[in-house]
Amino acid sequence: MAGEAVTEAKGGGVGGGGVADEFIVAPNPGDPALSAPVSGIDHTGARVETRVVQERALTLYLNAQEVVTMMTIGDHPDLLAVGYLLNQNMLRADDVIKGIDHDDDLGVVVVRTKRATNYEDKMKKKVRTSGCAQGTVFGDVMEHFETVSLPRDAKLKTSWLYALTKKINTAPSLYLTAGAIHGCVLCEGDRPLVYMEDVGRHNAVDKIAGWMFMNGADPANKIFYTTGRLTSEMVIKTVMMGIPILVSRSGFTAWGVELAKQAGLTLIGRARGKRFLAVAGEDRIEFDADASYDEGEDKKHRRKGAGDD
Amino acid sequence: MAGEAVTEAKGGGVGGGGVADEFIVAPNPGDPALSAPVSGIDHTGARVETRVVQERALTLYLNAQEVVTMMTIGDHPDLLAVGYLLNQNMLRADDVIKGIDHDDDLGVVVVRTKRATNYEDKMKKKVRTSGCAQGTVFGDVMEHFETVSLPRDAKLKTSWLYALTKKINTAPSLYLTAGAIHGCVLCEGDRPLVYMEDVGRHNAVDKIAGWMFMNGADPANKIFYTTGRLTSEMVIKTVMMGIPILVSRSGFTAWGVELAKQAGLTLIGRARGKRFLAVAGEDRIEFDADASYDEGEDKKHRRKGAGDD
């Protein structure tokens, strides 16, 4: 399935050389549109120059309907738009997209579907979710959530987990360049396929959902890695995407754990160095790596929490 | 003003002894309602027990109008409700609150004001903001933002900054108990006054805004500390609250920096150990502490990023 994805993949900004070659879509920290130079003073009073990530308003329309205005770093607006609509259950798996128009100057993206849509009423009922969240989850998302059944035979080898986190943490990224950004990575086995970053973690998730839809990727054999916390909203999105395994370097919320158990999702958090904690779907984990000691993470690539919220 | 606040302060869960005594409102990690035990397996396959933070739905009504459903850890629902309405500009500084009713079982909080309110139209126009954001910001918030002028004479001594971060990082907190939670602290001089935590950082900010309103606290001499990123939304909220100095251990977004400069807000990020970076309103900073070396943060209290998103 990854093969299919490869052949159809949109060219992401793949950093040249080494680990980055494994990615179908990788961050493009060199893109001047994604970060900006800022001048300030440090703790000694010395003048310093640094780079910070961009944050732009993007208004999403589904056909004639204005849906939401998102704050985003601005890359992959087409995938963000499609992924948002999918994760909000406003776009169905069998929907045919006639076109996606993006106007960078206006900060507008329009998704046109063959099926007529009308979410006037749906737009009225919103739930504000936790942390770096969607901001809104529509009522019927939960109804859909309860109907999803995740593949039992999917597995996660601990050797894959250690290889993935190392490749992800060492890949060139906006996080390493400018910090204050979240990352989500769609993985298969020990290979990271699609690495998306955004100022809103929910956007990074949605961009991956959009990429999967546009590339017909099979969720059943995928592993989803995120830098963010495992809240109810993160668990709901992963299940909505049909991915059986969710891994984060961050912690859990009680409802996130409860929903993961309910959906049969393998939920792994606090994954740092060789350490991790699995609190749901542990049976999918295959302990094939030596975890008797924790080598930790080298300082350069450790996320210092600049991705907070 | 802090004096006023003290006399009127609602009893927060102040942990006994030491630093915690400085707080008027401090986290209450001992409250069983705020975290739950979870069982799982670690990287060696060994069974482990841990605690994770709660995440509950709370639906907010302003008089007869349903406003939003928030995911929150569940403490201080009254302050969260008032603060949310203030930061959304739906409640005015001169509004008189007739009552706040909270039903824990129903997960509903109702704020009743003397002034009749009707935000039917307002509710239709929402903006989803970055990171651990409000989720929604109403159009006229920006209009209000442009009218705020922050006190020029406010100052931040680096000795205060170092004292504050140390007191905050060592105070008993849900972060230290269960992780995966954000913290915001209202400070004055070198004293942390109100320390709120929540699964959504926006909720922690709103609870502090609500506390300030209910206790008539003066924002002019305050310093706002957050664990989260300095996005546009975080800068907007701080300016809306009238606080001239915003400090975070996390990084910046370009628009956040731009808005801080526009509003004359002192914006300090990447504050870890003795290090920090000031990118706006640097003139309010008084370098009175020895910053020639960085002692870093002791491992136990370092935020490992479990507060991500």
Side-chain angles (χ1 to χ4, degrees):
Chain A
M1 290 298 174
E4 282 172 34
V6 178
T7 57
E8 296 171 61
K10 312 249 170 309
V14 178
V19 165
D21 293 339
E22 286 204 33
F23 292 90
I24 298 165
V25 181
N28 187 5
D31 182 345
L34 302 183
S35 67
V38 166
S39 167
I41 57 174
D42 70 8
H43 60 293
T44 68
R47 175 71 36 193
V48 290
E49 308 292 322
T50 185
R51 291 195 76 82
V52 299
V53 294
Q54 288 289 358
E55 183 190 8
R56 295 191 177 83
L58 178 68
T59 299
L60 167 62
Y61 288 78
L62 175 57
N63 298 314
Q65 162 99 57
E66 179 176 343
V67 175
V68 70
T69 296
M70 305 174 270
M71 297 306 305
T72 173
I73 190 164
D75 63 346
H76 307 293
D78 52 340
L79 301 181
L80 174 58
V82 170
Y84 176 89
L85 294 171
L86 283 167
N87 281 337
Q88 293 289 6
N89 213 26
M90 296 175 83
L91 205 60
R92 298 190 305 230
D94 62 355
D95 267 321
V96 177
I97 294 175
K98 286 192 303 182
I100 303 174
D101 304 329
H102 173 236
D103 186 314
D104 199 25
D105 300 335
L106 295 179
V108 169
V109 61
V110 183
V111 176
R112 304 184 198 285
T113 58
K114 206 160 165 185
R115 173 177 64 99
T117 54
N118 180 357
Y119 290 113
E120 276 298 340
D121 299 336
K122 199 169 184 179
M123 298 298 297
K124 292 196 183 104
K125 178 67 183 163
K126 295 186 173 190
V127 176
R128 169 176 159 206
T129 52
S130 302
C132 178
Q134 192 75 13
T136 62
V137 167
F138 296 111
D140 68 355
V141 167
M142 283 314 292
E143 288 154 38
H144 183 86
F145 176 87
E146 281 147 22
T147 67
V148 178
S149 86
L150 299 171
R152 296 306 322 154
D153 58 348
K155 69 178 174 186
L156 174 72
K157 293 185 177 181
T158 53
S159 59
W160 295 352
L161 179 59
Y162 297 150
L164 286 170
T165 50
K166 183 163 188 165
K167 290 170 185 175
I168 291 164
N169 290 339
T170 55
S173 68
L174 278 156
Y175 174 74
L176 293 176
T177 307
I181 193 160
H182 271 293
C184 290
V185 188
L186 180 70
C187 311
E188 187 177 320
D190 67 353
R191 183 182 175 199
L193 301 176
V194 180
Y195 183 170
M196 296 287 192
E197 292 181 293
D198 207 301
V199 283
R201 183 197 51 173
H202 41 87
N203 292 341
V205 180
D206 290 346
K207 282 187 266 189
I208 286 180
W211 183 90
M212 290 178 75
F213 181 86
M214 301 299 278
N215 293 278
D218 174 19
N221 62 349
K222 299 296 186 295
I223 298 156
F224 199 92
Y225 174 91
T226 174
T227 58
R229 288 172 301 158
L230 299 166
T231 59
S232 58
E233 178 251 354
M234 193 61 207
V235 168
I236 290 166
K237 279 178 179 293
T238 307
V239 171
M240 293 288 284
M241 290 160 74
I243 299 174
I245 298 161
L246 174 58
V247 178
S248 173
R249 56 175 295 106
S250 245
F252 312 89
T253 68
W255 197 28
V257 174
E258 196 179 312
L259 287 173
K261 285 181 171 159
Q262 196 185 110
L265 175 74
T266 296
L267 191 66
I268 296 174
R270 304 182 189 170
R272 297 155 189 282
K274 285 204 168 181
R275 301 212 170 111
F276 66 78
L277 183 63
V279 296
E282 300 96 320
D283 51 305
R284 289 200 186 91
I285 303 172
E286 205 175 294
F287 292 87
D288 69 330
D290 172 21
S292 55
Y293 70 97
D294 184 344
E295 70 196 1
E297 297 171 311
D298 73 86
K299 204 160 185 316
K300 175 162 179 289
H301 297 113
R302 181 196 301 140
R303 287 188 85 96
K304 296 170 219 64
D308 276 351
D309 71 286
Chain B
M1 290 300 176
E4 282 172 34
V6 178
T7 56
E8 297 172 60
K10 314 247 171 309
V14 178
V19 164
D21 294 339
E22 285 204 33
F23 293 90
I24 298 165
V25 181
N28 188 6
D31 183 344
L34 302 184
S35 66
V38 166
S39 168
I41 57 173
D42 69 8
H43 59 293
T44 67
R47 175 70 38 192
V48 291
E49 307 293 322
T50 184
R51 291 196 76 81
V52 300
V53 294
Q54 287 289 358
E55 183 189 9
R56 296 193 178 82
L58 178 68
T59 300
L60 167 62
Y61 288 78
L62 175 56
N63 297 313
Q65 162 96 57
E66 179 175 343
V67 176
V68 70
T69 296
M70 305 175 270
M71 296 307 305
T72 172
I73 189 163
D75 63 347
H76 307 293
D78 52 339
L79 301 182
L80 174 58
V82 170
Y84 177 89
L85 295 172
L86 283 167
N87 281 336
Q88 292 288 10
N89 214 27
M90 296 176 82
L91 205 60
R92 298 190 306 230
D94 62 354
D95 267 321
V96 176
I97 295 175
K98 287 192 302 182
I100 304 173
D101 304 329
H102 173 236
D103 186 313
D104 199 25
D105 300 335
L106 294 179
V108 169
V109 61
V110 183
V111 176
R112 304 183 199 286
T113 59
K114 205 161 165 186
R115 173 176 65 98
T117 54
N118 180 357
Y119 290 111
E120 277 299 340
D121 299 336
K122 201 170 185 181
M123 297 298 296
K124 293 197 182 106
K125 178 68 183 163
K126 294 185 172 191
V127 176
R128 170 177 159 205
T129 52
S130 303
C132 178
Q134 193 74 14
T136 61
V137 168
F138 295 113
D140 68 353
V141 167
M142 283 315 293
E143 288 154 38
H144 183 85
F145 176 87
E146 280 148 23
T147 68
V148 178
S149 86
L150 299 170
R152 296 305 322 156
D153 57 350
K155 70 178 173 188
L156 174 72
K157 294 185 178 182
T158 54
S159 60
W160 295 352
L161 179 58
Y162 298 149
L164 287 170
T165 50
K166 182 163 190 171
K167 290 171 185 174
I168 292 164
N169 290 338
T170 55
S173 67
L174 277 156
Y175 173 75
L176 294 177
T177 307
I181 194 160
H182 271 293
C184 290
V185 188
L186 180 69
C187 312
E188 187 176 319
D190 67 354
R191 183 182 174 199
L193 301 176
V194 179
Y195 183 171
M196 296 288 192
E197 293 180 293
D198 207 301
V199 283
R201 183 198 52 174
H202 42 87
N203 292 342
V205 180
D206 289 345
K207 282 188 263 188
I208 286 180
W211 183 90
M212 290 178 75
F213 181 86
M214 302 299 278
N215 293 278
D218 175 18
N221 62 347
K222 299 297 187 296
I223 298 156
F224 199 92
Y225 175 90
T226 175
T227 58
R229 289 173 298 159
L230 299 166
T231 59
S232 57
E233 178 251 353
M234 192 61 206
V235 168
I236 290 165
K237 279 178 179 292
T238 308
V239 171
M240 293 288 285
M241 290 161 73
I243 299 173
I245 298 161
L246 174 58
V247 179
S248 173
R249 55 177 294 107
S250 232
F252 312 89
T253 68
W255 195 29
V257 174
E258 195 180 313
L259 288 172
K261 285 181 170 159
Q262 194 185 342
L265 174 74
T266 296
L267 191 67
I268 295 175
R270 304 181 188 171
R272 297 156 188 280
K274 284 203 168 182
R275 299 211 171 113
F276 66 79
L277 183 62
V279 296
E282 299 95 320
D283 51 305
R284 290 199 186 91
I285 303 170
E286 207 174 292
F287 292 86
D288 69 330
D290 173 20
S292 54
Y293 70 98
D294 184 344
E295 70 196 2
E297 297 171 312
D298 73 86
K299 205 160 187 317
K300 174 161 180 288
H301 297 112
R302 182 196 300 140
R303 287 187 85 96
K304 297 171 219 63
D308 275 351
D309 69 283

